[in-house]
Amino acid sequence: IPIYSCMRNRNMKHFSIASSCAIAICVITYTAAAVFGYLTFGSEVSPGILTNYSASKPSVMIALVAMALKTFTTYPIISFCGREGVSTIIKDVFVKDDNPQKEKLRRYVIATIWFISTVLMAIKIPNIGAVINMLGSLAAIFIFVFPGVCLLQTTLMQGPIVSNNRSKLNISIAVILLLLGAFLFGCV
């Protein structure tokens, strides 16, 4: 995980704190945007809240440019994570002996295929709403289900008997995350 590898103190405690803070900031930000969007537009609010505002206003144009810049600057990060994930799977499953030249070629091929497939999908998919719905469903899994499974697994690995209150709390939180992720995956 790139975040873990960049941390000064690499341990589960600091990683859990960093992850929890990031999730809390996202929840607060998205909840505030949703609440204020609903309070401003009521039932007429559109899924892309910026489309409710007139682009002729300078503040809305700044927000649209900021969203475009965010998308432009996050693409390399997402591409890097995806490339590394695909490269690891290919290396673990198909490659017996590896050297720097093969690894470099593999990175170039994966990055090229990733970029071309992204461009083709952008051209061929007529409605971005379908992609956003699919990504929303996957986000529910990444945000709730995977952390729930990891928390459950790390708690159960500490010992076969769940006797202390902290273990019971961790298992309860893991079950809540799993149920919430399954619910959100089904809703989106």
Side-chain angles (χ1 to χ4, degrees), residues 30-159:
Y30 281 112
T31 302
V35 167
F36 288 119
Y38 186 75
L39 290 175
T40 303
F41 299 107
S43 61
E44 300 296 319
V45 68
S46 68
I49 194 165
L50 287 177
T51 60
N52 285 98
Y53 296 100
S54 171
S56 62
K57 293 182 180 178
S59 59
V60 176
M61 187 54 73
I62 290 170
L64 289 170
V65 170
M67 290 297 293
L69 285 173
K70 185 225 40 120
T71 304
F72 181 74
T73 56
T74 57
Y75 184 84
I77 297 168
I78 293 169
S79 178
F80 171 76
C81 292
R83 187 194 73 206
E84 287 301 310
V86 171
S87 179
T88 301
I89 291 170
I90 290 173
K91 188 171 64 173
D92 291 349
V93 174
F94 298 111
V95 177
K96 302 252 190 268
D97 58 333
D98 202 16
N99 60 45
Q101 289 81 18
K102 287 182 182 179
E103 194 267 336
K104 186 176 181 180
L105 176 66
R106 185 172 56 247
R107 280 189 294 132
Y108 285 150
V109 169
I110 292 170
T112 303
I113 291 171
W114 188 281
F115 179 74
I116 290 171
S117 64
T118 304
V119 171
L120 288 175
M121 283 189 282
I123 292 170
K124 293 292 183 183
I125 297 175
N127 183 5
I128 192 70
V131 176
I132 290 173
N133 285 341
M134 183 190 71
L135 291 176
S137 294
L138 292 175
I141 291 176
F142 290 130
I143 293 170
F144 295 105
V145 175
F146 286 162
V149 169
C150 291
L151 180 61
L152 185 63
Q153 182 65 28
T154 55
T155 303
L156 294 176
M157 285 175 49
Q158 292 174 357

